[in-house]
Amino acid sequence: MITWLEGKIVEKKLWCADLYSIKIKTEPLPFIAGQFVNVGLDHDNAKIQKPYSLVNAPSDEFLEIHLNTVKDGKFSPLLTKLVECDTVYISNRPSGLLTLNEVPKELPHLWFFATGTGIGPFISILNTAEPWQRFEKIIVCYSVKTAEEMAYRKNFEEFLVRYPDQFHFVPFITRELTQHAIHSRITTFLGSGALEKCLGISLKPESSHVMLCGNSAMIIEATELLQQKGLRLHNRRESGHISTEKYF
């Protein structure tokens, strides 16, 4: 049974049509960077809920989630209509496998593949000290449909300045041509070999751990391509090289 913490919305940011980030104030909630929580709302004399990854680092004052409004959905339209000081509820037991304690210690390269709002847990991880202390190379491949949907890009630009030899950012925009991103799907670029060629870094079982979050089609296709390279799915029973998240 879920135990809920009462929270108040302290900030709602609109990135573009139907794409939001929401900051929430609750009592302290310990969690590991990369985990998700259930967000609850009171509606029609009942509590409805949906899982969202936390974008903030565990040391931050507020919790933050990143989401888009699903027009025919039940939950997200209600959530994104709320304003500052409105009440939401947060489950007090964060969960998830997209955490660094799931990554084998000896692997030097950490890869993040994200589409859309799936970038959230990776921002949480990158805003902690651990990845920068553990890994020789950190590569973020982040895909959206249009340039205005590429939220948090300034965060990645700051990481490039702070860690120029360690951090690599590869943005993808699938429905627009732009000078500032690759016009391709992540999986197309990966499957052709172009991703490794442009970075000069190989995706190999002996050096790489890959975390995937976002569109289910991307996760399925990317997993198949990575398995062709010899990488294995990771779970708590058997260590591997590919971590994905299943909310349901």
Side-chain angles (χ1 to χ4, degrees):
M1 181 177 179
I2 294 178
T3 302
W4 297 100
L5 303 177
E6 183 174 315
K8 297 290 184 183
I9 292 177
V10 296
E11 182 182 318
K12 184 171 76 171
K13 178 180 176 66
L14 175 65
W15 294 95
C16 62
D18 299 322
L19 184 66
Y20 295 85
S21 293
I22 297 175
K23 291 184 178 180
I24 302 163
K25 176 66 174 177
T26 67
E27 62 183 80
L29 177 66
F31 72 96
I32 302 170
Q35 289 187 313
F36 67 88
V37 294
N38 283 293
V39 178
L41 297 174
D42 288 327
H43 181 66
D44 287 344
N45 299 314
K47 192 170 263 83
I48 59 174
Q49 60 186 281
K50 188 174 180 181
Y52 290 101
S53 292
L54 293 169
V55 179
N56 59 292
S59 60
D60 289 345
E61 181 180 3
F62 304 118
L63 305 179
E64 183 172 350
I65 59 174
H66 182 47
L67 70 152
N68 60 313
T69 305
V70 180
K71 294 187 184 299
D72 57 351
K74 180 179 181 180
F75 190 89
S76 61
L78 294 172
L79 180 57
T80 54
K81 285 180 181 177
L82 298 181
V83 297
E84 290 184 18
C85 297
D86 280 346
T87 298
V88 297
Y89 298 90
I90 304 295
S91 60
N92 73 343
R93 289 190 178 181
S95 304
L97 292 173
L98 296 182
T99 60
L100 292 187
N101 58 358
E102 296 288 342
V103 180
K105 298 288 185 183
E106 68 275 9
L107 298 178
H109 298 165
L110 179 64
W111 297 72
F112 296 132
F113 289 5
T115 58
T117 59
I119 197 64
F122 304 146
I123 295 172
S124 179
I125 293 170
L126 292 171
N127 276 314
T128 66
E130 184 177 359
W132 310 107
Q133 295 168 351
R134 276 185 58 182
F135 298 97
E136 295 175 12
K137 298 290 183 182
I138 300 171
I139 305 99
V140 172
C141 300
Y142 176 21
S143 178
V144 294
K145 296 173 184 175
T146 64
E148 65 178 358
E149 293 179 84
M150 187 157 282
Y152 301 98
R153 182 157 189 160
K154 286 185 178 180
N155 295 66
F156 298 116
E157 292 171 352
E158 290 172 0
F159 293 137
L160 286 169
V161 173
R162 291 166 60 188
Y163 308 101
D165 299 321
Q166 187 179 11
F167 183 64
H168 300 268
F169 178 55
V170 189
F172 293 84
I173 295 176
T174 59
R175 295 188 183 178
E176 289 181 351
L177 287 171
T178 170
Q179 295 180 338
H180 306 295
I182 296 166
H183 183 56
S184 170
R185 295 183 304 140
I186 290 176
T187 49
T188 301
F189 212 61
L190 170 64
S192 70
L195 178 60
E196 292 164 276
K197 184 177 180 180
C198 81
L199 289 166
I201 305 171
S202 297
L203 270 161
K204 299 184 294 185
E206 58 267 30
S207 62
S208 305
H209 192 93
V210 187
M211 292 186 174
L212 311 174
C213 192
N215 180 277
S216 59
M218 182 278 288
I219 292 175
I220 292 169
E221 187 175 355
T223 297
E224 292 174 351
L225 291 168
L226 293 167
Q227 288 175 323
Q228 291 170 18
K229 295 177 178 292
L231 282 73
R232 303 186 310 275
L233 280 168
H234 174 83
N235 59 57
R236 287 175 176 156
R237 295 184 300 276
E238 183 179 3
S239 179
H241 316 88
I242 307 165
S243 296
T244 65
E245 193 66 271
K246 291 184 178 180
Y247 290 139
F248 301 100

